[in-house]
Amino acid sequence: MERPRRLRQHPALRRLVREVTLEPRHLIQPLFVHLGPEPEPIASMPGQYRHSLESLEEAAGQALEAGLGGVILFGVLPQEQKDALGRGAYDDEGVVQQAIRRLKTRYPELLVIADTCLCEYTSHGHCGVVVGNTVENDTTLKLLAQTAVSQARAGADVVAPSAMMDGQVRAIRKALDEAGYPHVPILSYAVKFASSFYGPFRDAADSAPSFGDRSSYQMDPTAGVWDALREARLDDAEGADMLMVKPALAYLDLVRLLKDRFAKPIAAYLVSGEYSMIKAAAERGWIDERKVVLETLAGIRRAGAQFVLTYHAQEAARWLTAG
Ligand code: PBG
């Protein structure tokens, strides 16, 4: 008789046949940074902060020490410093540019990824230039390209466009190449849904759109597989070096699909709402946080993600190293 339990009897046997691996290097820690003097806790994301430049440096040092794959930076601006064209995003003295310079000077070995988008810097909170009631695609491309070049100039190791404008990967690749950064890779948020799981992030970055929503550029969660394949095919062809699916858990089928179809590393983003749900249940004592987090991350790896962007990264790395 077939007895799958035979291979489960002994811890050493279970270890021998275990296929899914999860190590700190598979995890990227997202970090928020603002120009205020103090770190501010983010209420809807327990354990996460809007860092000051100083506390950011500390957090980055911990990431390096924990052996994480790297960090991804998000800038936070006070409302009065935002404008209709999101100038803070492509300002060489912008918050993220300052942060990148500081981190790369202090920790040259740390992989620093810059999120490339306008929504944290626009007064209306949309990811591009708004004309009337529409978010204009092609004028936005220029600004995204400028943002990526400015981030590369500051020393970003990777740029990660997340605005979901058509042609953004091509525009950014071309601009980086022309500006003398042909070696800077693009991690594309290729398959990014208009998801309600981003709620806590928008609190954290104060980037909720002031009118409408993002459904005219981010993907419809119920669109279907064709839309994911199309977005991934385009970004692949436009020169993305790595392709990301976001959010993670409701879209693990697409992580697997991309893994099987494209000869590029696939990433997944376990987003703010996914993090906060685990935190909230754990705070109530309803789940074992450590076990649930590690099980979740292993599941994302099994689906085919080479690495995972997750607010749990720092803690998970600690748990993994402690055994
Ligand atoms: C910027 C961006 C967002 C997230 C990552 N990059 C917000 C959005 O699209 O509204 C969400 C991350 C998260 O929820 O953790 N466009």
Side-chain angles (χ1 to χ4, degrees):
M1 176 170 145
E2 280 229 42
R3 291 184 184 276
R5 291 183 57 187
R6 262 184 225 120
L7 294 181
R8 293 181 198 137
Q9 300 171 77
H10 194 291
L13 255 181
R14 291 200 295 271
R15 199 174 58 222
L16 177 73
V17 299
R18 192 171 290 153
E19 188 176 66
V20 178
T21 58
L22 178 65
E23 300 166 21
R25 71 181 175 97
H26 297 130
L27 306 174
I28 303 279
Q29 175 75 48
L31 294 170
F32 298 96
V33 56
H34 70 165
L35 289 175
E38 299 294 333
E40 294 170 0
I42 299 165
S44 54
M45 301 176 70
Q48 304 301 312
Y49 296 83
R50 294 189 196 95
H51 283 286
S52 63
L53 286 172
E54 202 169 303
S55 72
L56 180 79
E57 201 171 306
E58 239 167 84
Q62 288 165 6
L64 188 63
E65 202 160 313
L68 295 187
V71 299
I72 181 165
L73 300 180
F74 296 95
V76 182
L77 280 196
Q79 194 61 37
E80 64 273 12
Q81 286 176 32
K82 302 183 185 188
D83 60 47
L85 295 177
R87 289 191 176 81
Y90 39 93
D91 177 354
D92 282 340
E93 291 308 315
V95 54
V96 161
Q97 285 80 355
Q98 290 190 45
I100 296 168
R101 280 197 293 273
R102 193 152 163 166
L103 296 190
K104 290 306 295 183
T105 307
R106 176 83 191 266
Y107 306 111
E109 329 82 284
L110 179 69
L111 189 82
V112 175
I113 306 174
D115 181 84
T116 307
C117 194
L118 302 185
C119 62
E120 297 121 72
Y121 310 92
T122 51
S123 40
H124 44 70
H126 277 289
C127 301
V129 177
V130 171
V131 176
N133 273 329
T134 58
V135 176
E136 271 200 1
N137 197 87
D138 297 6
T139 31
T140 303
L141 293 182
K142 291 194 193 67
L143 304 184
L144 291 171
Q146 277 183 48
T147 303
V149 168
S150 171
Q151 292 166 337
R153 197 180 294 130
D157 295 300
V158 178
V159 296
S162 64
M164 288 302 281
M165 294 297 122
D166 293 338
Q168 64 182 12
V169 171
R170 172 175 288 122
I172 287 172
R173 183 70 275 155
K174 184 163 177 282
L176 286 173
D177 291 353
E178 287 172 2
Y181 303 100
H183 53 279
V184 173
I186 298 176
L187 164 61
S188 165
Y189 289 72
V191 177
K192 175 172 174 177
F193 288 91
S195 169
S196 299
F197 287 103
Y198 307 151
F201 175 97
R202 292 180 189 170
D203 279 353
D206 192 21
S207 64
S210 60
F211 67 91
D213 56 29
R214 304 209 201 289
S215 317
S216 77
Y217 41 108
Q218 297 180 349
M219 295 162 65
D220 177 350
T222 49
V225 167
W226 60 267
D227 207 8
L229 276 176
R230 186 184 207 185
E231 285 284 2
R233 170 176 61 75
L234 285 169
D235 285 9
D236 181 46
E238 289 179 26
D241 298 279
M242 301 178 276
L243 301 171
M244 181 151 58
V245 174
K246 175 187 174 193
L249 297 183
Y251 305 96
L252 288 181
D253 57 326
L254 302 177
V255 173
R256 169 51 55 189
L257 186 71
L258 264 56
K259 166 78 175 159
D260 290 342
R261 299 266 181 130
F262 297 95
K264 288 181 179 174
I266 305 303
Y269 197 146
L270 189 72
V271 300
S272 56
E274 297 174 299
Y275 171 83
S276 299
M277 289 194 303
I278 291 179
K279 281 285 175 186
E283 269 175 14
R284 294 187 169 200
W286 289 350
I287 56 171
D288 179 329
E289 182 177 357
R290 176 180 179 278
K291 289 186 174 159
V292 166
V293 167
L294 295 179
E295 182 177 335
T296 300
L297 295 174
I300 300 171
R301 286 271 300 148
R302 190 186 59 249
Q306 171 61 32
F307 57 95
V308 186
L309 285 69
T310 169
Y311 304 93
H312 299 288
Q314 189 67 43
E315 265 180 314
R318 208 177 52 239
W319 293 325
L320 288 169
T321 336

